[in-house]
Amino acid sequence: MYELRTWTSGLMGAAFGLTALASAAAAEVTIRVQSVIPAKADEVFMLEDFAADVKALTDGEVIIEVLPAGAVVGVRETLDAVDSGLIEGGFAWTHYWSGKHPAAMLFGSPVAGAGVGIDNIAFVSWFQYGGGKELYDQLWTEMGVNVKGFMLQPVGPEALGWFKEPIASMDDFRKLRFRTPPGIPGQTYKDIGVASVAMGGGDILPALEKGTIDAAEWCCPKPDSVFGFQKVLKHYYLQGLHQVVVNADLYINGDVYNSLTPLQQKALEVAANASLSKSMSYRIYENGKALKDLVENQGVILHDTPADYFTEYMAAAKASLETNAAENEFFAKVWQSQKDFAEVAVPFWAGSQASNAALGKAFADTLKK
């Protein structure tokens, strides 16, 4: 009897094991994520790191396969392709989709720190603890797309940009045709009289070489040096207001996301939260190394941005934000949330950052001696 029971138990155990294996196999899923930028970009490196975390947290059940820009659809069609299920995921900056809803800018690139002094670290605080995540989830419903979004990579502030000759004032700036990002940040440049030209990253260097534009911005020292701006322009201005905060994020088709187990969904959330921190840490060191190389080895001259830029751009940015808030209820709701957060958090954070900046500058100045 003991042997029979043992044999029967063994069969039942084996059957259970096979069922568990079958269930595990059924749970495995590959999510193809098409990026809007080339595979060599830092953002893709960090996206791959996020994918590795997801794979580890799900014990290999969820595989994120990163595809380069244009692999399946054009850059502009990325979100629509995710919505329709043509691809399972996409990777871009939320403000790329401002044409679908103006509030996308407040999540991807809140112009001039949303007009209330929010930098990239304060933005993450708003997103995680100030109500931003709930509004971010609502954004996709407002857009009418079947998408689950994950914010991954905050960066900022972006550099004002690259110039052929130094600019001493806004009068100098207004003489130039300047590549800017799309949406409100670019429109704000137009509002202060700068000839703003929106174009994709791959078109910038050819346009500079042909003289179609005279100056340009992209991001920060590391991404800018990868693009090769230093090959055609030598005057670099670090301080800019147009994209004090910029966030790259992941979009997963809603049906694909809902098909995942609760544990797999939680793994995506945990990996995304880790990415928010890891991407900022990575950027500080990489941008520092790149700036050092640009100045010491590439002949780049670093300048301070003209003082009148800050007053003019900030005033125009706030006017643009107010106009959009008056025209769109959800935009107004998100911006009000950011303003409420800033009223509490920014006075503390700005005061603390002033000490940090003075500390850092004191050390940086010793390196010039």
Side-chain angles (χ1 to χ4, degrees), residues 295-316:
V295 173
E296 294 182 359
N297 303 316
Q298 305 291 329
V300 171
I301 303 170
L302 198 59
H303 299 274
D304 288 330
T305 299
D308 56 349
Y309 161 81
F310 296 99
T311 53
E312 289 194 30
Y313 194 90
M314 179 62 85

Side-chain angles (χ1 to χ4, degrees), residues 186-232:
Q187 179 59 49
T188 302
Y189 275 112
K190 292 181 180 178
D191 293 342
I192 59 175
V194 174
S196 167
V197 182
M199 63 177 64
D203 298 325
I204 300 174
L205 277 183
L208 286 167
E209 291 166 347
K210 293 177 183 177
T212 307
I213 56 176
D214 306 302
E217 67 79 43
W218 177 247
C219 179
C220 317
K222 175 65 180 296
D224 288 2
S225 63
V226 171
F227 262 79
F229 286 99
Q230 69 276 16
K231 298 175 183 176
V232 293

Side-chain angles (χ1 to χ4, degrees), residues 24-25 27-30 51-64 264:
E28 293 177 4
V29 60
T30 296
D53 282 347
V54 171
K55 182 178 179 180
L57 288 168
T58 61
D59 198 22
E61 290 178 354
V62 178
I63 305 297
I64 294 177
Q264 291 168 346

Side-chain angles (χ1 to χ4, degrees), residues 113-119 122 126 130 335-350:
V116 288
I118 295 177
D119 67 5
W126 169 74
W335 192 35
Q336 186 61 52
S337 174
Q338 292 176 336
K339 288 189 288 186
D340 291 344
F341 167 85
E343 184 177 335
V344 175
V346 167
F348 156 73
W349 187 236

Side-chain angles (χ1 to χ4, degrees), residues 153-175:
Q153 297 177 16
V155 65
E158 290 200 353
L160 176 68
W162 296 81
F163 297 79
K164 291 181 180 178
E165 301 293 338
I167 55 170
S169 66
M170 283 304 300
D171 288 338
D172 292 340
F173 199 173
R174 278 187 271 266
K175 297 173 184 176

Side-chain angles (χ1 to χ4, degrees), residues 124-316:
V124 173
S125 177
W126 169 74
F127 177 73
Q128 292 185 315
Y129 294 103
K133 185 179 183 300
E134 292 74 17
L135 292 168
Y136 178 72
D137 289 339
Q138 187 180 343
L139 172 67
W140 312 110
T141 302
E142 295 289 330
M143 282 190 185
V145 294
N146 183 28
V147 161
K148 170 65 176 177
F150 291 91
M151 199 168 287
L152 299 183
Q153 297 177 16
V155 65
E158 290 200 353
L160 176 68
W162 296 81
F163 297 79
K164 291 181 180 178
E165 301 293 338
I167 55 170
S169 66
M170 283 304 300
D171 288 338
D172 292 340
F173 199 173
R174 278 187 271 266
K175 297 173 184 176
L176 307 174
R177 292 162 296 179
F178 183 57
R179 184 273 169 187
T180 66
I184 295 175
Q187 179 59 49
T188 302
Y189 275 112
K190 292 181 180 178
D191 293 342
I192 59 175
V194 174
S196 167
V197 182
M199 63 177 64
D203 298 325
I204 300 174
L205 277 183
L208 286 167
E209 291 166 347
K210 293 177 183 177
T212 307
I213 56 176
D214 306 302
E217 67 79 43
W218 177 247
C219 179
C220 317
K222 175 65 180 296
D224 288 2
S225 63
V226 171
F227 262 79
F229 286 99
Q230 69 276 16
K231 298 175 183 176
V232 293
L233 303 171
K234 295 298 184 182
H235 297 277
Y236 194 31
Y237 291 76
L238 272 185
Q239 306 93 6
L241 289 179
H242 61 286
Q243 289 180 310
V244 176
V245 183
V246 189
N247 297 286
D249 43 10
L250 170 72
Y251 323 109
I252 297 178
N253 174 271
D255 295 334
V256 171
Y257 176 76
N258 290 331
S259 73
L260 300 177
T261 67
L263 184 61
Q264 291 168 346
Q265 292 176 352
K266 189 65 176 180
L268 287 169
E269 179 187 342
V270 169
N273 284 335
S275 180
L276 292 173
S277 170
K278 291 165 76 174
S279 60
M280 285 191 287
S281 301
Y282 176 80
R283 290 284 201 177
I284 289 173
Y285 192 38
E286 289 299 306
N287 281 322
K289 290 189 291 185
L291 184 62
K292 182 178 175 65
D293 179 65
L294 287 170
V295 173
E296 294 182 359
N297 303 316
Q298 305 291 329
V300 171
I301 303 170
L302 198 59
H303 299 274
D304 288 330
T305 299
D308 56 349
Y309 161 81
F310 296 99
T311 53
E312 289 194 30
Y313 194 90
M314 179 62 85

Side-chain angles (χ1 to χ4, degrees), residues 31-52:
I31 300 174
R32 297 171 303 156
V33 175
Q34 180 179 302
S35 170
V36 299
I37 46 180
K40 65 180 181 180
D42 266 7
E43 290 84 358
V44 175
F45 170 82
M46 289 183 282
L47 178 60
E48 295 277 13
D49 183 75
F50 163 80

Side-chain angles (χ1 to χ4, degrees), residues 7-20:
W7 180 74
T8 304
S9 298
L11 282 179
M12 291 176 64
F16 177 79
L18 289 172
T19 301

